[in-house]
Amino acid sequence: MLRWLTVASLTLALAAGQDLRVRSEFQRPGPDGEVVAIDRTDRPREILSPALARNAYASYFLTLSLPPGVEWYLEVGQNPENAVRTVLYQVTHDSAGLPDELTKVEMPVKGRTERTEIRSYWLDLWVDGAAPVRRIKVEPQLWVGDRWIVYPMEARVQWASVPSLSPKFWSTPAPALRADAVMVKPWRDALCQPLPLEARPAKTTVRLLQHRNVLQDVALAKKMGAAAANVLQSAGLKLSNEAWCAAPANGGPADAGWQKDLAPEWYLRVRDFLYRNAVN
């Protein structure tokens, strides 16, 4: 059953140190629940009505703030039920406090706190290729103590359908680099010259699933052909494809090179462009 949170109960929950946040995959949470410094932006995207392509994954970070001495559990409600397939992974941070390894968990996730806890999860939504184009409710729901905290999302399943693909994996960027660093190799392989493949990592990580999501975008752009020729420029990149291919690859500080004038979530506009223009 879907549950709606009133403004009054939300105020009480926040005052009691209980919170549920949903962020894009380019706003990686640290152990304190806040976005890691290298990914912070003045105007992060609100995840309230996200667009979803068919035959594709969409991914989000969920962060829970839990007070001590309470029972809690987390689930994801849908309306219609089973409109998408949901998979949840718990985030493990590396020694520098950056989100890295992902461990699949079954929903509902539940527990009891002894002390204040901050927990972060990666939520994968899979949209079937035959899914109808429509609006659906996908709502992370947290029961904590004696109340529900619900994050209401009205997702929009689009006409855009990602071609079936065999993922190509290269080495993934280090967690210490900005979240959008993951777009470089898939797009350089597509726009510049084919890159030699490297072995797929043995474990599931944030970077690996980000990489998979970017490969979906590249496949959609290839399907569009000439219509997607300037997709990176449509998102605010101030370099032509040729100039971008010639520029040093991403890997330096966030305030250097072609990346410096772009907020970490700029890449979401690439995805927006593809979803709007790939209509079948």
Side-chain angles (χ1 to χ4, degrees), residues 39-218:
D39 291 346
R40 288 176 191 161
T41 180
D42 292 336
R43 300 181 65 184
R45 180 171 290 199
E46 289 188 299
I47 310 300
L48 295 174
S49 185
L52 307 178
R54 295 179 295 163
N55 199 41
Y57 290 94
S59 306
Y60 309 95
F61 282 110
L62 312 183
T63 299
L64 320 182
S65 298
L66 304 168
V70 296
E71 293 184 351
W72 63 274
Y73 73 89
L74 173 69
E75 62 183 7
V76 178
Q78 299 183 49
N79 189 9
E81 290 192 15
N82 302 315
V84 295
R85 189 174 78 231
T86 58
V87 181
L88 195 67
Y89 299 85
Q90 185 164 356
V91 175
T92 299
H93 295 85
D94 66 15
S95 58
L98 295 161
D100 186 23
E101 192 167 351
L102 298 174
T103 303
K104 187 177 178 180
V105 296
E106 296 298 324
M107 290 188 283
V109 186
K110 61 182 70 175
R112 180 177 177 83
T113 61
E114 295 183 1
R115 61 187 66 84
T116 299
E117 290 188 25
I118 306 294
R119 291 171 167 260
S120 289
Y121 296 89
W122 172 281
L123 174 64
D124 257 351
L125 306 180
W126 168 258
V127 184
D128 188 78
V133 175
R134 59 182 175 178
R135 291 178 180 265
I136 60 175
K137 292 187 184 298
V138 181
E139 300 186 331
Q141 304 173 352
L142 173 64
W143 171 259
V144 53
D146 59 356
R147 60 178 57 88
W148 286 98
I149 302 176
V150 177
Y151 191 100
M153 291 196 296
E154 187 176 61
R156 296 169 290 120
V157 179
Q158 305 290 283
W159 282 107
S161 182
V162 174
S164 297
L165 58 102
S166 299
K168 299 164 61 177
F169 290 96
W170 300 272
S171 59
T172 54
L177 298 179
R178 242 171 58 161
D180 57 332
V182 76
M183 59 78 60
V184 173
K185 286 187 178 179
W187 281 102
R188 291 207 172 197
D189 180 76
L191 297 176
C192 307
Q193 60 183 16
L195 301 177
L197 297 180
E198 300 179 24
R200 178 172 178 169
K203 59 185 181 181
T204 304
T205 64
V206 169
R207 290 302 203 188
L208 185 67
L209 296 191
Q210 287 176 321
H211 188 122
R212 175 205 65 193
N213 292 352
V214 174
L215 287 170
Q216 293 179 157
D217 302 331
V218 171

